[in-house]
Amino acid sequence: MINSLELGDQNGGLSERAMFGYYWVNSLVQSALTYISIRLNELHLEFDQQAQAQSLVSGVVQVLESMEEPHQDQLLSRVAQHMGMEVSELFDTLKDISGD
């Protein structure tokens, strides 16, 4: 698109039509780069949150394997409360992740 802009004869600058085209090309490129930057930041944040949740679940699974049953229930209850879900949901999630 930029290659199709014609140079004007006046003062060696761009013609009015060329300036208008250049302005819109420049605006579109800036908007696209801003959107890409924002989206990459969002994806990075989502990835960090998923990694945090996965490391928490991995740690809980390892601790649960080394505990006796009454203590497992207490730990599951506190972790579920921290994650904002029911114990049964947490148990199902842990079961799915651990592959049992």
Side-chain angles (χ1 to χ4, degrees):
M1 195 168 181
I2 291 177
N3 289 338
S4 67
L5 300 177
E6 314 111 27
L7 290 176
D9 294 333
Q10 303 169 352
N11 302 326
L14 295 174
S15 67
E16 187 176 324
R17 182 174 171 235
M19 284 190 299
F20 182 75
Y22 177 75
Y23 168 80
W24 284 108
V25 167
N26 191 38
S27 269
L28 291 172
V29 169
Q30 285 180 353
S31 294
L33 291 175
T34 300
Y35 171 79
I36 290 168
S37 175
I38 290 170
R39 187 65 186 131
L40 285 174
N41 285 336
E42 289 171 350
L43 291 172
H44 183 69
L45 181 62
E46 288 173 17
F47 177 76
D48 285 347
Q49 289 172 343
Q50 288 174 352
Q52 252 182 349
Q54 189 174 11
S55 65
L56 174 66
V57 168
S58 296
V60 169
V61 168
Q62 290 175 355
V63 168
L64 283 173
E65 290 173 349
S66 65
M67 297 176 88
E68 294 178 11
E69 192 167 328
H71 300 292
Q72 287 177 353
D73 294 338
Q74 289 175 347
L75 180 64
L76 282 172
S77 174
R78 289 187 182 175
V79 170
Q81 182 181 15
H82 175 74
M83 294 180 74
M85 58 175 64
E86 297 294 322
V87 175
S88 59
E89 290 176 292
L90 176 63
F91 186 70
D92 291 341
T93 302
L94 291 174
K95 207 169 163 184
D96 290 342
I97 291 173
S98 68
D100 291 342

